[in-house]
Amino acid sequence: GEKSGIIDTWLRKHRLVYTGATRHPFVLSIRDGTVDLSAYKRWLGQDYVFVRAFVPFLASVLMKAWKESDDSLDMDIILSGMASLNDEIAWFKSEASKWDVQLSDIVPQKANEDYCRFLESLMSPDTEYTTAITAFWAIEAVYQASFALCLEDGSKTPEELRETCQRWGNDGFHQYCNSLQNIADQRLAKASDDVLTKAEVAVLRVLELEVEFWNMSRGQT
Ligand code: HMH
């Protein structure tokens, strides 16, 4: 098999915070079938706002890959991610109409604004490709792990939410996350200590922001 990379080492080191992001109470409530549908609708509206901000972020990662990567496969994988995002935006629109969520009325909550601001910082020319692609992997990996959990044997995910879970929990998305992890690991293996530190900090920030993002599903209290 493959030699374990830096990312697996980080995941072991930061196990608790990774688990906090990938086994959040909201996700566990989907899995055990007790999910509050108003919480799901709040998540749906906020995630649509996030995904729209994710498009320019991906475009910036693509630009960095074009400029800094010596492996043309990187661009192909990032491009396939952008293509899926186009499909994803269409899915959000149809899912929102199915649940009577008015996407034009969504007010981004603080956690969403914080996350979008973080994406903007990663889009800066000061952020190296290695840091950006590592953060990108982390963002996708949290959703993959979370929604795959809702599809495991024995899960009681409500029928009407299975398609949502499939979107990020399917095997193709799992492969895509593995490809991103491989790109990031190859870059990290050759990175300076300074970039390694920045990339590790970025991963931790993603995990924190994901927890805050899931927390929004609870609504204003
Ligand atoms: C908050 N994180 C958030 N939303 C998403 N759609 C993803 C990750 C995965 O694309």
Side-chain angles (χ1 to χ4, degrees), residues 52-104:
R52 292 197 72 91
F54 203 47
V55 176
F57 168 67
L58 241 73
S60 81
V61 178
L62 188 81
M63 286 286 283
K64 288 183 210 284
W66 175 63
K67 285 192 182 167
E68 294 179 49
S69 174
D70 36 36
D71 188 343
S72 64
L73 220 67
D74 289 22
M75 260 178 72
D76 297 359
I77 290 162
I78 299 160
L79 183 60
S80 78
M82 292 197 79
S84 312
L85 221 50
N86 185 42
D87 190 62
E88 200 162 299
I89 286 177
W91 176 82
F92 270 100
K93 288 175 182 167
S94 82
E95 184 72 1
S97 100
K98 179 170 138 190
W99 292 94
D100 279 318
V101 172
Q102 211 61 51
L103 291 178
S104 54

Side-chain angles (χ1 to χ4, degrees), residues 91-149:
W91 176 82
F92 270 100
K93 288 175 182 167
S94 82
E95 184 72 1
S97 100
K98 179 170 138 190
W99 292 94
D100 279 318
V101 172
Q102 211 61 51
L103 291 178
S104 54
D105 295 349
I106 303 296
V107 178
Q109 304 284 299
K110 182 178 179 295
N112 208 348
E113 289 178 334
D114 289 348
Y115 210 156
C116 293
R117 239 192 318 276
F118 175 67
L119 292 181
E120 276 191 54
S121 75
L122 294 172
M123 288 186 236
S124 148
D126 299 337
T127 301
E128 305 77 9
Y129 173 54
T130 302
T131 306
I133 191 86
T134 304
F136 179 31
W137 160 78
I139 295 167
E140 299 287 45
V142 168
Y143 263 43
Q144 195 282 320
S146 298
F147 285 111
L149 201 65

